């Protein structure tokens, strides 16, 4: 994320909650996982904001980067490293990447014209130029991209361009820059993209269409002081690596920083040079060009590094039909939701509505409904009923079961099947499908309780009651595993309530057996029902 402001639910649903869910599953499944990201500190939105506020870009970054770290902590989004592109490590890696492209013959010097604001007496980076998109006609397009249609742009393509600094019409002046031979990768990229059989259709189709339309050489540097300076001095002062290319290099620099912090400097190579390693890039669909086209081309140009295994780009979360946007004030801030919802409740509602294949319209009412009717009424109520009955009839200990009948084994088979189904969905990066498998199993467990009626058998047959409750607790223990990637806080509490030791996130992806006689924790509701009326008034 650009370190320019608070995040909203669109950011969380698009790029930050999905990888956390995915990574948590893979850790439990036994995979070796490294999850990294960081604040983009050199993006021109930061310098724009700094200019507007009369402060330095560093002051803007120092205000918002800690806020991101707080969000991750509150939501349980567990990065192995969430760094910034302002570190000495990132500077070293990005400059090394530049030199490698130069050595491989993919960078060349070229004099071109760039927009210049005569009132401000400065060259204008892409995002300092606004105008009308030549493709869709949106009058709010930027010089680098149109948010309305998702096309990447060059400032000179804009109709009626204007300077964001002064509002004046910019003029063109000559300036020399390094250009990247992006055109050299058109053939290799097209072949590679066509071989991506398991990517989401909207991602791979967009990327293939973009490459087929023709890739053109792009400027690799900009007239900016706020950025990564060039490791060569033949262009003179005031030149930086363009943030488009430098920011994605953070995926390469962050693991190297992580490895240094671990005291194992070469550990990053396990992910970047091992051909068996898999890399996944979780993004919103507006970032498909950068992660499915530009970054793979950069990696090809560098050589010796793994290309993306998958780019599970999510569609947009919309609010009343409009794309969430902190700059346009569409959608509440994440801070508001964290004040009004429990973290796991918010994670659940977002995960249940992830825009994996289509845009998803979100409303506070729908979030509240999902929490109350599904999370609380189906899963939370199941746990509370079973725990309370066990506490009442068996002194708060897991009862010893009698012989299981077909109804008992059918439920446990269903839960074990749900574990396998969820794992298959996770492997395909279909996170909503995995969550549906968990909730279907919880629903089946509720049906089982209604059929076996332990509240009734407790009056006449304690062996049957013990068998029912042990079976239900075992089912809950398995469902808990599927829920853990989605609901880390409540799942850990449940793990402890079931008398299980250790950290659930470090457990295996399986339904572990429950030992009769194990002392259970005090029954307590896992979730609080949301007051929808109070939300409307807040």
């Amino acid at each position: 994320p650009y370190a320019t402001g608070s995040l909203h639910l669109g950011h969380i649903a698009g790029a930050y909650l999905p990888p956390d869910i995915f990574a948590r599953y893979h850790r439990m499944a036994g995979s070796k996982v490294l999850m990294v990201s960081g604040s983009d500190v050199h993006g021109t939105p930061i310098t724009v904001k700094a200019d507007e506020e009369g402060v330095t870009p560093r002051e803007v970054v120092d205000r918002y980067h800690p806020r991101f770290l707080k969000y991750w902590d509150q939501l349980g989004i567990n990065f192995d490293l969430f760094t910034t592109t302002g570190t000495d490590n990132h500077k070293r890696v990005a400059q090394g990447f530049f030199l490698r492209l130069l050595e491989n013959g993919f960078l060349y010097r070229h004099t071109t014209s760039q927009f210049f604001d005569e009132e401000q007496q400065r060259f204008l980076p892409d995002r300092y130029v606004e105008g009308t998109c030549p493709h869709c006609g949106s009058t709010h397009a930027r010089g680098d991209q149109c948010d309305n249609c998702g096309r990447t742009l060059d400032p000179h393509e804009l109709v009626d361009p204007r300077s964001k600094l002064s509002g004046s019409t910019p003029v063109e002046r000559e300036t020399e820059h390094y250009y990247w031979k992006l055109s050299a990768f058109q053939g290799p990229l097209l072949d590679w993209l066509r071989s991506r059989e398991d990517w989401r259709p909207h991602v791979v189709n967009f990327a293939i269409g973009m490459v087929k339309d023709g890739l053109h050489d792009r400027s690799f540097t900009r007239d900016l002081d706020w950025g990564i300076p060039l490791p060569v001095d033949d262009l003179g002062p005031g030149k930086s690596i363009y943030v488009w290319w430098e920011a994605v290099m953070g995926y390469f620099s962050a693991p190297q920083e992580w490895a240094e912090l671990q005291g194992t400097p070469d550990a990053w190579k396990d992910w970047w040079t091992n051909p068996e390693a898999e890399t996944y890039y979780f993004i919103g669909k507006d970032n498909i060009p950068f992660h499915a086209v530009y970054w793979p081309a950069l990696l090809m140009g560098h050589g010796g590094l793994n290309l993306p295994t998958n780019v599970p780009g999510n569609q947009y979360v919309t609010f009343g039909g409009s794309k969430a946007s902190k700059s346009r004030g569409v959608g509440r801030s994440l801070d508001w939701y964290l004040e009004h919802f429990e973290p796991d409740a918010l994670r659940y509602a977002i995960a249940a509505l992830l825009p994996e294949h289509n845009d998803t319209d979100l409303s506070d009412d729908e979030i509240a409904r999902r929490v109350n009717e599904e999370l609380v009424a189906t899963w939370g109520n199941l746990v509370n009923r079973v725990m309370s009955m066990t506490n009442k009839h068996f002194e708060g200990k897991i009862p010893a079961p009698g012989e299981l009948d077909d109804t008992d084994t059918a439920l446990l088979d269903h839960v074990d099947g749900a574990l396998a189904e969820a794992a298959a969905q996770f492997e395909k990066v279909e996170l909503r499908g995995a969550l549906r498998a968990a909730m279907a199993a919880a629903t089946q467990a509720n049906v089982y309780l209604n059929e076996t009626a332990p509240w009734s058998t407790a009056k006449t047959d304690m062996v049957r009651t013990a068998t029912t409750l042990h079976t239900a607790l075992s089912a809950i223990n398995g469902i808990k595993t599927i829920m853990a990637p989605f609901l880390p806080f409540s799942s850990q509490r449940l793990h402890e309530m079931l008398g299980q030791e250790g950290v659930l996130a470090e457990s295996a992806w399986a339904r572990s057996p429950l030992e009769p006689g194990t002392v259970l924790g005090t029954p307590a509701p896992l979730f609080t029902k949301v007051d929808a009326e109070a939300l409307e008034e807040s």
Side-chain angles (χ1 to χ4, degrees), residues 198-444:
D198 53 353
W199 284 24
R200 293 176 181 171
H202 71 272
V203 176
V204 71
N205 291 339
F206 184 98
I208 287 175
M210 179 177 171
V211 176
K212 288 176 67 176
D213 283 347
L215 297 179
H216 307 286
D217 295 354
R218 305 299 294 257
S219 175
F220 207 79
T221 58
R222 279 294 184 269
D223 292 290
L224 280 172
D225 292 321
W226 178 249
I228 301 294
L230 302 191
V232 295
D233 58 8
D234 50 354
L235 294 186
K239 308 283 186 179
S240 293
I241 300 175
Y242 187 19
V243 69
W244 266 15
W245 323 130
E246 165 254 309
V248 289
M249 294 175 192
Y251 301 120
F252 186 45
S253 65
Q256 296 184 51
E257 181 182 348
W258 167 85
E260 290 283 353
L261 292 172
Q262 301 301 307
T264 53
D266 289 334
W268 63 272
K269 295 178 182 178
D270 290 346
W271 284 275
W272 275 105
T273 63
N274 178 359
E276 295 184 0
E278 297 181 356
T279 53
Y280 294 79
Y281 295 80
F282 288 84
I283 57 164
K285 67 180 177 182
D286 51 340
N287 272 315
I288 291 174
F290 304 98
H291 296 78
V293 178
Y294 296 146
W295 181 228
L298 285 169
L299 293 172
M300 290 178 180
H302 183 284
L305 301 175
N306 289 337
L307 296 179
T309 302
N310 202 338
V311 181
N314 286 302
Q315 304 273 19
Y316 289 145
V317 168
T318 59
F319 295 82
S322 297
K323 177 195 170 187
S325 170
K326 62 185 178 184
S327 62
R328 299 202 309 273
V330 177
R332 297 184 194 266
S333 74
L334 181 56
D335 298 274
W336 185 90
Y337 287 99
L338 287 169
E339 289 176 7
H340 292 83
F341 292 90
E342 295 169 317
D344 272 0
L346 192 56
R347 287 176 64 110
Y348 175 82
I350 295 172
L353 295 163
L354 284 175
E356 293 174 333
H357 296 282
N358 303 100
D359 289 352
T360 298
D361 201 64
L362 200 58
S363 68
D364 298 343
D365 285 344
E366 178 63 8
I367 294 174
R369 188 193 70 78
R370 291 274 181 173
V371 172
N372 292 339
E373 297 181 11
E374 298 174 10
L375 187 61
V376 175
T378 300
W379 175 230
N381 187 49
L382 169 67
V383 171
N384 199 45
R385 292 166 74 195
V386 175
M387 291 290 292
S388 296
M389 283 187 285
T390 305
N391 186 66
K392 176 181 179 180
H393 298 297
F394 296 97
E395 300 178 338
K397 298 178 182 178
I398 296 176
E403 185 175 351
L404 274 60
D405 63 19
D406 290 346
T407 304
D408 305 321
T409 56
L411 174 62
L412 297 181
D413 288 346
H414 184 101
V415 172
D416 292 341
L419 276 158
E421 170 62 19
Q425 294 293 329
F426 274 122
E427 295 292 343
K428 295 188 295 184
V429 205
E430 296 289 342
L431 309 185
R432 286 177 65 176
L435 184 56
R436 283 195 296 270
M439 291 303 292
T443 298
Q444 190 62 35

Side-chain angles (χ1 to χ4, degrees), residues 1 9-20 35-37 72 77 79 251 281-284 287 312 314-315 354-355:
L9 290 192
H11 295 118
I12 303 304
Y16 305 114
L17 180 59
D20 181 70
M35 178 170 142
V36 298
S37 186
W72 310 148
I77 294 178
F79 287 102
Y251 301 120
Y281 295 80
F282 288 84
I283 57 164
N287 272 315
N314 286 302
Q315 304 273 19
L354 284 175

Side-chain angles (χ1 to χ4, degrees), residues 2-5 38-51 53-69 82-91 128 225-229 246 257:
Y2 291 124
T4 54
S39 294
D40 180 350
V41 307
H42 294 132
T44 47
I46 294 169
T47 56
V48 169
K49 190 176 189 69
D51 286 338
E53 296 183 0
V55 299
T56 66
R58 172 57 60 185
E59 288 177 275
V60 174
V61 171
D62 289 346
R63 184 191 319 159
Y64 290 107
H65 179 68
R67 189 172 297 183
F68 295 159
L69 297 177
F82 188 83
T83 182
T84 80
T85 57
T87 65
D88 289 340
N89 167 76
H90 181 70
K91 176 182 176 181
Y128 281 75
D225 292 321
W226 178 249
I228 301 294
E246 165 254 309
E257 181 182 348

Side-chain angles (χ1 to χ4, degrees), residues 394 398-405 408 412 448 462-472 474 514-517:
F394 296 97
I398 296 176
E403 185 175 351
L404 274 60
D405 63 19
D408 305 321
L412 297 181
Y448 167 84
M462 290 307 292
V463 173
R464 178 62 251 176
T465 304
T467 304
T468 297
L469 292 178
H470 186 279
T471 300
S474 296
L514 294 178
E515 187 67 29

